[in-house]
Amino acid sequence: MAEKRVMLTEEGYKKLQEKLDYLKSVRRIEVSERLKAAIALGDLSENSEYDDAKNEQAFLEGEILDLEAKIRNSDIIKSDAASDTVQMGSTVVIRDVEAGEEDTYTIVGTAEADPTEFKISNESPVGAAIIGTKVGDIVDVHAPAGIIKYEVREIKA
C-alpha cells in the first residue's frame, strides 16, 4: 500500500528536517546514555529506570520513523504570488460576517497545521471552504456550532 503524500511548505519541510536531525543527533545520544546508566544499576528485571529508558527509546525511534516517512513522502507547496485565488501556502485574511471579527490564517497541509500559529490545514472546515476563493467571496463553513459565513478580505502569497 502506497504511503499518503504529505503537503508541506518549504518552511514546514525545513522544520521537520531540523527536528529529525535533532532527534537523531541529540536525543538518541541522551536516551542511549540514560539506558547505559540504567543498565549499570544492576538487575534489569526489577529496574524501573531501565524500563522507562527502554520505553523512551521506543517512543523516540517511532517518532524518527514517522518524521522520515513524512519527509520521504512530502510534496513541497509552491505558492503562486501572482494568484488571486486562495491556494495551499496562501495567507488569507477572513472576516466572520456575523461577528465582524477578522482572522489571518496560512493554508498548509495537515502535517504542518498548528492553530496556535494560525496555520490551518487545507482539510480543516475553514481551509477546505476557502481554497479556490477570491477576495470578496463569502463562504459557508460547517462547524460544530453551526454554519458560519466568512468573507475573504485579503490574499497574500
Side-chain angles (χ1 to χ4, degrees):
M1 184 167 123
E3 292 187 62
K4 183 180 175 187
R5 301 302 298 169
V6 178
M7 303 294 288
L8 294 170
T9 62
E10 288 181 41
E11 175 189 351
Y13 181 85
K14 287 177 188 172
K15 281 184 178 180
L16 284 184
Q17 190 64 55
E18 287 170 4
K19 184 175 182 180
L20 178 62
D21 292 344
Y22 170 77
L23 292 178
K24 285 179 154 184
S25 63
V26 177
R27 288 292 297 143
R28 253 189 187 158
I29 293 169
E30 291 173 354
V31 171
S32 174
E33 293 300 320
R34 185 169 171 223
L35 201 51
K36 286 179 190 174
I39 290 170
L41 294 175
D43 184 10
L44 300 181
S45 65
E46 296 181 16
N47 187 334
S48 65
E49 290 291 323
Y50 175 75
D51 290 340
D52 287 346
K54 285 297 287 180
N55 288 338
E56 185 177 2
Q57 181 184 42
F59 180 80
L60 174 66
E61 293 304 321
E63 192 172 6
I64 287 171
L65 288 174
D66 183 53
L67 286 172
E68 287 174 337
K70 284 179 181 175
I71 290 168
R72 182 176 53 253
N73 295 301
S74 65
D75 290 326
I76 307 299
I77 301 165
K78 300 270 187 208
S79 181
D80 181 4
S83 178
D84 61 348
T85 61
V86 177
Q87 56 187 314
M88 295 283 291
S90 295
T91 298
V92 184
V93 179
I94 58 173
R95 182 179 64 87
D96 182 325
V97 173
E98 191 174 305
E101 298 173 1
E102 283 191 356
D103 288 306
T104 302
Y105 295 108
T106 301
I107 311 300
V108 297
T110 55
E112 196 176 345
D114 184 353
T116 62
E117 291 185 13
F118 300 97
K119 292 181 179 184
I120 60 172
S121 165
N122 62 313
E123 296 176 16
S124 70
V126 174
I130 64 175
I131 289 280
T133 60
K134 298 180 179 201
V135 172
D137 287 353
I138 295 177
V139 296
D140 292 334
V141 175
H142 298 273
I147 296 175
I148 303 170
K149 290 189 179 298
Y150 286 106
E151 176 186 6
V152 178
R153 305 280 290 187
E154 184 180 351
I155 302 170
K156 307 170 193 172

